[in-house]
Amino acid sequence: MKIEPRPSSSQDVGDVFREFKCASSECCPPKAVRPEKPEPESTERLCDFYQSVARVRKRKADGESDKVQRMLLYLDCVVYFTLSAKHFQTSDGTENKASRQVTIVRDTCELLKLVTQHFTKPSDNISPLHHHLMSRVRNLSLRVQAVLAYHLYNFRSQQAFKAYTVLTQMDPHVIEEKKADATPSAGGGKTTPSPSSSVHSNSNQGVNTISMPTHVYQIQKQQLKTLHHLMWAHRIWGDAAERAGGNSADMTFITSLEKVCGHLCVDAPLEKMSSYLLTGVAWLRTEYEREKRRPPPPISAKRLS
């Protein structure tokens, strides 16, 4: 009886990898997923309800050992922290409300950025399915980060317009001074620049300085911080679009999500962004659970980078 040689272990692994079938196309939700809501008879404020749900999800994520499930739980809690900011109420006035909303959204955006960086960081102990989902998780996260950054600007947009008016009116109070670019010597005269410094500068040139009232400087500083969020919103959104354009799986995922949830743009309402994110999470979670029962996907050198 002739015995056929047994394939090597590397061949076995290769055969298993070739059997992998991505479940993504099977898992797109038929309709947009909506956030949880309190019971109709509940007297709890929406902002408190969403804060409570977010904290429960975050605690669960903190204790989850499965890296993919942990990331998806963090994405869940981002939704509810964001909605708690949207529905935040206070009796202290509009400005204090906006300030509190900015704080919640800023902290949520920082959390999202941190967990995404951790999830997408290359490592030797990442599972094949982790790699398989990594790019789509990153793209989904970037889109949400961009929308959150836009709303960090939007919450303070009225103050930004007021600040612009104040700054333009303060132009006459801003004084430009020209100071001599030379220091007095011990004898009361001016020091002579060394030959090396005179190559790059002219001792007759002055240094221009701006003098302004302290409160004008503070307004200008806050204005830059507010507009900084708007700048980063568009930059992050562009990064997400560029990444999706270079990855067919990402593009299919985003296109299909928008067919279900509607088109998402950088200035989308927070409620729409939340539904979009929840739908994406539901899709990835279903796909992950289904693919865990299948042979694992291969990890190419390109995907490891």
Side-chain angles (χ1 to χ4, degrees), residues 127-157:
S127 70
L129 282 179
H130 185 149
H131 275 286
H132 179 61
L133 299 173
M134 185 184 293
S135 183
R136 281 175 286 162
V137 168
R138 179 196 287 117
N139 208 292
L140 185 61
S141 173
L142 286 174
R143 288 171 182 269
V144 172
Q145 287 178 52
V147 176
L148 292 178
Y150 172 81
H151 282 279
L152 284 174
Y153 156 76
N154 195 45
F155 283 134
R156 291 195 178 276
S157 59

mmCIF file of all heavy atoms in Angstrom, residues 127-157:
data_model
loop_
_atom_site.group_PDB
_atom_site.id
_atom_site.type_symbol
_atom_site.label_atom_id
_atom_site.label_comp_id
_atom_site.label_asym_id
_atom_site.label_seq_id
_atom_site.Cartn_x
_atom_site.Cartn_y
_atom_site.Cartn_z
ATOM 1 N N SER A 127 -4.594 39.265 16.208
ATOM 2 C CA SER A 127 -5.198 38.132 15.503
ATOM 3 C C SER A 127 -5.475 38.486 14.042
ATOM 4 O O SER A 127 -5.603 39.666 13.686
ATOM 5 C CB SER A 127 -6.506 37.732 16.185
ATOM 6 O OG SER A 127 -7.492 38.727 15.965
ATOM 7 N N PRO A 128 -5.585 37.469 13.178
ATOM 8 C CA PRO A 128 -5.907 37.731 11.766
ATOM 9 C C PRO A 128 -7.220 38.493 11.582
ATOM 10 O O PRO A 128 -7.310 39.366 10.720
ATOM 11 C CB PRO A 128 -5.989 36.324 11.165
ATOM 12 C CG PRO A 128 -5.093 35.494 12.025
ATOM 13 C CD PRO A 128 -5.262 36.040 13.409
ATOM 14 N N LEU A 129 -8.228 38.184 12.392
ATOM 15 C CA LEU A 129 -9.505 38.896 12.261
ATOM 16 C C LEU A 129 -9.382 40.350 12.699
ATOM 17 O O LEU A 129 -10.053 41.230 12.152
ATOM 18 C CB LEU A 129 -10.590 38.191 13.077
ATOM 19 C CG LEU A 129 -11.180 36.924 12.455
ATOM 20 C CD1 LEU A 129 -12.224 36.320 13.372
ATOM 21 C CD2 LEU A 129 -11.781 37.218 11.082
ATOM 22 N N HIS A 130 -8.544 40.592 13.686
ATOM 23 C CA HIS A 130 -8.259 41.968 14.108
ATOM 24 C C HIS A 130 -7.703 42.757 12.921
ATOM 25 O O HIS A 130 -8.163 43.865 12.616
ATOM 26 C CB HIS A 130 -7.260 41.926 15.265
ATOM 27 C CG HIS A 130 -6.961 43.255 15.886
ATOM 28 N ND1 HIS A 130 -6.633 43.394 17.212
ATOM 29 C CD2 HIS A 130 -6.918 44.511 15.374
ATOM 30 C CE1 HIS A 130 -6.408 44.672 17.484
ATOM 31 N NE2 HIS A 130 -6.567 45.366 16.377
ATOM 32 N N HIS A 131 -6.726 42.180 12.240
ATOM 33 C CA HIS A 131 -6.155 42.822 11.050
ATOM 34 C C HIS A 131 -7.205 43.002 9.959
ATOM 35 O O HIS A 131 -7.233 44.023 9.267
ATOM 36 C CB HIS A 131 -5.002 41.978 10.502
ATOM 37 C CG HIS A 131 -3.695 42.244 11.173
ATOM 38 N ND1 HIS A 131 -2.960 43.389 10.955
ATOM 39 C CD2 HIS A 131 -2.991 41.505 12.072
ATOM 40 C CE1 HIS A 131 -1.852 43.346 11.682
ATOM 41 N NE2 HIS A 131 -1.846 42.221 12.370
ATOM 42 N N HIS A 132 -8.048 42.014 9.829
ATOM 43 C CA HIS A 132 -9.069 42.033 8.777
ATOM 44 C C HIS A 132 -10.029 43.209 8.950
ATOM 45 O O HIS A 132 -10.482 43.807 7.962
ATOM 46 C CB HIS A 132 -9.835 40.704 8.816
ATOM 47 C CG HIS A 132 -10.931 40.595 7.811
ATOM 48 N ND1 HIS A 132 -10.715 40.666 6.450
ATOM 49 C CD2 HIS A 132 -12.276 40.422 7.969
ATOM 50 C CE1 HIS A 132 -11.863 40.534 5.807
ATOM 51 N NE2 HIS A 132 -12.828 40.388 6.704
ATOM 52 N N LEU A 133 -10.334 43.567 10.187
ATOM 53 C CA LEU A 133 -11.297 44.638 10.468
ATOM 54 C C LEU A 133 -10.637 45.995 10.713
ATOM 55 O O LEU A 133 -11.316 47.024 10.753
ATOM 56 C CB LEU A 133 -12.133 44.269 11.703
ATOM 57 C CG LEU A 133 -12.978 42.997 11.602
ATOM 58 C CD1 LEU A 133 -13.603 42.676 12.949
ATOM 59 C CD2 LEU A 133 -14.059 43.151 10.546
ATOM 60 N N MET A 134 -9.330 45.997 10.864
ATOM 61 C CA MET A 134 -8.618 47.194 11.327
ATOM 62 C C MET A 134 -8.861 48.425 10.455
ATOM 63 O O MET A 134 -9.161 49.513 10.951
ATOM 64 C CB MET A 134 -7.119 46.904 11.402
ATOM 65 C CG MET A 134 -6.299 48.032 11.993
ATOM 66 S SD MET A 134 -4.526 47.669 11.957
ATOM 67 C CE MET A 134 -4.415 46.320 13.121
ATOM 68 N N SER A 135 -8.740 48.277 9.158
ATOM 69 C CA SER A 135 -8.841 49.432 8.268
ATOM 70 C C SER A 135 -10.232 50.054 8.301
ATOM 71 O O SER A 135 -10.385 51.276 8.320
ATOM 72 C CB SER A 135 -8.484 49.023 6.836
ATOM 73 O OG SER A 135 -8.522 50.138 5.978
ATOM 74 N N ARG A 136 -11.256 49.214 8.344
ATOM 75 C CA ARG A 136 -12.626 49.744 8.372
ATOM 76 C C ARG A 136 -12.935 50.423 9.702
ATOM 77 O O ARG A 136 -13.619 51.447 9.741
ATOM 78 C CB ARG A 136 -13.628 48.622 8.076
ATOM 79 C CG ARG A 136 -13.735 48.299 6.586
ATOM 80 C CD ARG A 136 -14.625 47.107 6.332
ATOM 81 N NE ARG A 136 -13.971 45.858 6.712
ATOM 82 C CZ ARG A 136 -14.623 44.716 6.919
ATOM 83 N NH1 ARG A 136 -15.935 44.679 6.807
ATOM 84 N NH2 ARG A 136 -13.960 43.623 7.231
ATOM 85 N N VAL A 137 -12.426 49.856 10.782
ATOM 86 C CA VAL A 137 -12.606 50.497 12.090
ATOM 87 C C VAL A 137 -11.932 51.866 12.099
ATOM 88 O O VAL A 137 -12.499 52.857 12.574
ATOM 89 C CB VAL A 137 -12.040 49.606 13.215
ATOM 90 C CG1 VAL A 137 -11.959 50.386 14.526
ATOM 91 C CG2 VAL A 137 -12.900 48.364 13.399
ATOM 92 N N ARG A 138 -10.721 51.936 11.552
ATOM 93 C CA ARG A 138 -10.006 53.211 11.501
ATOM 94 C C ARG A 138 -10.789 54.244 10.692
ATOM 95 O O ARG A 138 -10.940 55.397 11.105
ATOM 96 C CB ARG A 138 -8.620 53.024 10.890
ATOM 97 C CG ARG A 138 -7.830 54.338 10.798
ATOM 98 C CD ARG A 138 -6.650 54.235 9.864
ATOM 99 N NE ARG A 138 -5.571 53.443 10.425
ATOM 100 C CZ ARG A 138 -5.118 52.306 9.905
ATOM 101 N NH1 ARG A 138 -5.685 51.808 8.808
ATOM 102 N NH2 ARG A 138 -4.123 51.662 10.461
ATOM 103 N N ASN A 139 -11.299 53.833 9.536
ATOM 104 C CA ASN A 139 -11.999 54.787 8.681
ATOM 105 C C ASN A 139 -13.289 55.271 9.322
ATOM 106 O O ASN A 139 -13.617 56.463 9.273
ATOM 107 C CB ASN A 139 -12.292 54.157 7.317
ATOM 108 C CG ASN A 139 -12.373 55.194 6.223
ATOM 109 O OD1 ASN A 139 -13.294 56.000 6.195
ATOM 110 N ND2 ASN A 139 -11.402 55.189 5.320
ATOM 111 N N LEU A 140 -13.999 54.354 9.949
ATOM 112 C CA LEU A 140 -15.228 54.734 10.650
ATOM 113 C C LEU A 140 -14.907 55.714 11.774
ATOM 114 O O LEU A 140 -15.594 56.725 11.960
ATOM 115 C CB LEU A 140 -15.901 53.472 11.200
ATOM 116 C CG LEU A 140 -17.266 53.628 11.871
ATOM 117 C CD1 LEU A 140 -18.291 54.187 10.895
ATOM 118 C CD2 LEU A 140 -17.734 52.288 12.432
ATOM 119 N N SER A 141 -13.844 55.430 12.507
ATOM 120 C CA SER A 141 -13.435 56.298 13.610
ATOM 121 C C SER A 141 -13.029 57.682 13.112
ATOM 122 O O SER A 141 -13.399 58.702 13.706
ATOM 123 C CB SER A 141 -12.275 55.661 14.376
ATOM 124 O OG SER A 141 -11.752 56.553 15.337
ATOM 125 N N LEU A 142 -12.266 57.741 12.025
ATOM 126 C CA LEU A 142 -11.825 59.033 11.498
ATOM 127 C C LEU A 142 -13.010 59.898 11.089
ATOM 128 O O LEU A 142 -13.028 61.115 11.331
ATOM 129 C CB LEU A 142 -10.890 58.826 10.307
ATOM 130 C CG LEU A 142 -9.471 58.343 10.623
ATOM 131 C CD1 LEU A 142 -8.711 58.047 9.333
ATOM 132 C CD2 LEU A 142 -8.711 59.370 11.453
ATOM 133 N N ARG A 143 -13.998 59.297 10.465
ATOM 134 C CA ARG A 143 -15.174 60.061 10.051
ATOM 135 C C ARG A 143 -15.910 60.634 11.259
ATOM 136 O O ARG A 143 -16.362 61.783 11.245
ATOM 137 C CB ARG A 143 -16.105 59.174 9.217
ATOM 138 C CG ARG A 143 -15.550 58.882 7.837
ATOM 139 C CD ARG A 143 -16.333 57.833 7.072
ATOM 140 N NE ARG A 143 -15.683 57.609 5.790
ATOM 141 C CZ ARG A 143 -15.973 58.275 4.678
ATOM 142 N NH1 ARG A 143 -16.928 59.184 4.686
ATOM 143 N NH2 ARG A 143 -15.323 58.032 3.557
ATOM 144 N N VAL A 144 -16.012 59.830 12.297
ATOM 145 C CA VAL A 144 -16.681 60.298 13.511
ATOM 146 C C VAL A 144 -15.843 61.378 14.198
ATOM 147 O O VAL A 144 -16.384 62.387 14.674
ATOM 148 C CB VAL A 144 -16.948 59.113 14.457
ATOM 149 C CG1 VAL A 144 -17.459 59.600 15.814
ATOM 150 C CG2 VAL A 144 -17.955 58.155 13.827
ATOM 151 N N GLN A 145 -14.525 61.195 14.248
ATOM 152 C CA GLN A 145 -13.658 62.222 14.828
ATOM 153 C C GLN A 145 -13.812 63.553 14.099
ATOM 154 O O GLN A 145 -13.821 64.623 14.721
ATOM 155 C CB GLN A 145 -12.198 61.776 14.765
ATOM 156 C CG GLN A 145 -11.819 60.675 15.736
ATOM 157 C CD GLN A 145 -10.366 60.264 15.581
ATOM 158 O OE1 GLN A 145 -9.466 61.097 15.603
ATOM 159 N NE2 GLN A 145 -10.123 58.973 15.409
ATOM 160 N N ALA A 146 -13.940 63.492 12.777
ATOM 161 C CA ALA A 146 -14.092 64.718 11.993
ATOM 162 C C ALA A 146 -15.399 65.431 12.336
ATOM 163 O O ALA A 146 -15.430 66.657 12.510
ATOM 164 C CB ALA A 146 -14.046 64.391 10.499
ATOM 165 N N VAL A 147 -16.479 64.671 12.448
ATOM 166 C CA VAL A 147 -17.777 65.273 12.785
ATOM 167 C C VAL A 147 -17.737 65.867 14.196
ATOM 168 O O VAL A 147 -18.241 66.970 14.433
ATOM 169 C CB VAL A 147 -18.909 64.233 12.661
ATOM 170 C CG1 VAL A 147 -20.241 64.831 13.114
ATOM 171 C CG2 VAL A 147 -19.028 63.735 11.216
ATOM 172 N N LEU A 148 -17.117 65.159 15.128
ATOM 173 C CA LEU A 148 -17.011 65.681 16.493
ATOM 174 C C LEU A 148 -16.175 66.962 16.526
ATOM 175 O O LEU A 148 -16.511 67.919 17.238
ATOM 176 C CB LEU A 148 -16.396 64.627 17.415
ATOM 177 C CG LEU A 148 -17.251 63.383 17.693
ATOM 178 C CD1 LEU A 148 -16.484 62.401 18.576
ATOM 179 C CD2 LEU A 148 -18.579 63.749 18.344
ATOM 180 N N ALA A 149 -15.089 66.984 15.761
ATOM 181 C CA ALA A 149 -14.252 68.190 15.706
ATOM 182 C C ALA A 149 -15.043 69.364 15.136
ATOM 183 O O ALA A 149 -14.918 70.502 15.612
ATOM 184 C CB ALA A 149 -13.005 67.928 14.863
ATOM 185 N N TYR A 150 -15.864 69.087 14.128
ATOM 186 C CA TYR A 150 -16.694 70.162 13.574
ATOM 187 C C TYR A 150 -17.637 70.721 14.642
ATOM 188 O O TYR A 150 -17.820 71.938 14.764
ATOM 189 C CB TYR A 150 -17.510 69.668 12.377
ATOM 190 C CG TYR A 150 -18.512 70.698 11.914
ATOM 191 C CD1 TYR A 150 -18.118 71.753 11.093
ATOM 192 C CD2 TYR A 150 -19.837 70.660 12.356
ATOM 193 C CE1 TYR A 150 -19.020 72.736 10.712
ATOM 194 C CE2 TYR A 150 -20.743 71.642 11.978
ATOM 195 C CZ TYR A 150 -20.331 72.672 11.158
ATOM 196 O OH TYR A 150 -21.222 73.655 10.795
ATOM 197 N N HIS A 151 -18.224 69.841 15.439
ATOM 198 C CA HIS A 151 -19.173 70.315 16.449
ATOM 199 C C HIS A 151 -18.468 71.009 17.615
ATOM 200 O O HIS A 151 -19.086 71.839 18.295
ATOM 201 C CB HIS A 151 -20.057 69.163 16.927
ATOM 202 C CG HIS A 151 -21.153 68.845 15.952
ATOM 203 N ND1 HIS A 151 -22.320 69.560 15.887
ATOM 204 C CD2 HIS A 151 -21.223 67.913 14.963
ATOM 205 C CE1 HIS A 151 -23.088 69.081 14.924
ATOM 206 N NE2 HIS A 151 -22.445 68.082 14.344
ATOM 207 N N LEU A 152 -17.197 70.694 17.839
ATOM 208 C CA LEU A 152 -16.438 71.471 18.824
ATOM 209 C C LEU A 152 -16.350 72.926 18.380
ATOM 210 O O LEU A 152 -16.372 73.845 19.203
ATOM 211 C CB LEU A 152 -15.034 70.882 18.994
ATOM 212 C CG LEU A 152 -14.950 69.590 19.809
ATOM 213 C CD1 LEU A 152 -13.531 69.034 19.767
ATOM 214 C CD2 LEU A 152 -15.384 69.831 21.255
ATOM 215 N N TYR A 153 -16.247 73.125 17.072
ATOM 216 C CA TYR A 153 -16.319 74.485 16.532
ATOM 217 C C TYR A 153 -17.750 75.018 16.599
ATOM 218 O O TYR A 153 -17.996 76.150 17.026
ATOM 219 C CB TYR A 153 -15.826 74.509 15.081
ATOM 220 C CG TYR A 153 -16.386 75.663 14.287
ATOM 221 C CD1 TYR A 153 -15.894 76.956 14.458
ATOM 222 C CD2 TYR A 153 -17.448 75.468 13.400
ATOM 223 C CE1 TYR A 153 -16.438 78.027 13.759
ATOM 224 C CE2 TYR A 153 -17.989 76.528 12.696
ATOM 225 C CZ TYR A 153 -17.487 77.806 12.878
ATOM 226 O OH TYR A 153 -18.032 78.857 12.194
ATOM 227 N N ASN A 154 -18.699 74.189 16.199
ATOM 228 C CA ASN A 154 -20.078 74.651 16.060
ATOM 229 C C ASN A 154 -20.683 75.094 17.392
ATOM 230 O O ASN A 154 -21.451 76.061 17.444
ATOM 231 C CB ASN A 154 -20.932 73.538 15.444
ATOM 232 C CG ASN A 154 -22.271 74.051 14.949
ATOM 233 O OD1 ASN A 154 -22.347 75.084 14.297
ATOM 234 N ND2 ASN A 154 -23.336 73.330 15.273
ATOM 235 N N PHE A 155 -20.334 74.392 18.476
ATOM 236 C CA PHE A 155 -20.860 74.777 19.783
ATOM 237 C C PHE A 155 -20.431 76.197 20.169
ATOM 238 O O PHE A 155 -21.114 76.871 20.931
ATOM 239 C CB PHE A 155 -20.382 73.798 20.865
ATOM 240 C CG PHE A 155 -21.115 72.484 20.872
ATOM 241 C CD1 PHE A 155 -20.420 71.290 20.965
ATOM 242 C CD2 PHE A 155 -22.498 72.439 20.798
ATOM 243 C CE1 PHE A 155 -21.092 70.073 20.981
ATOM 244 C CE2 PHE A 155 -23.180 71.229 20.808
ATOM 245 C CZ PHE A 155 -22.472 70.040 20.895
ATOM 246 N N ARG A 156 -19.294 76.637 19.647
ATOM 247 C CA ARG A 156 -18.774 77.968 19.979
ATOM 248 C C ARG A 156 -18.834 78.929 18.790
ATOM 249 O O ARG A 156 -18.192 79.983 18.817
ATOM 250 C CB ARG A 156 -17.328 77.854 20.468
ATOM 251 C CG ARG A 156 -17.180 77.176 21.818
ATOM 252 C CD ARG A 156 -15.802 77.411 22.405
ATOM 253 N NE ARG A 156 -15.644 76.826 23.719
ATOM 254 C CZ ARG A 156 -16.024 77.408 24.855
ATOM 255 N NH1 ARG A 156 -16.595 78.591 24.825
ATOM 256 N NH2 ARG A 156 -15.826 76.809 26.021
ATOM 257 N N SER A 157 -19.578 78.562 17.765
ATOM 258 C CA SER A 157 -19.589 79.397 16.555
ATOM 259 C C SER A 157 -20.162 80.790 16.818
ATOM 260 O O SER A 157 -19.676 81.783 16.262
ATOM 261 C CB SER A 157 -20.377 78.699 15.439
ATOM 262 O OG SER A 157 -21.712 78.442 15.847
#
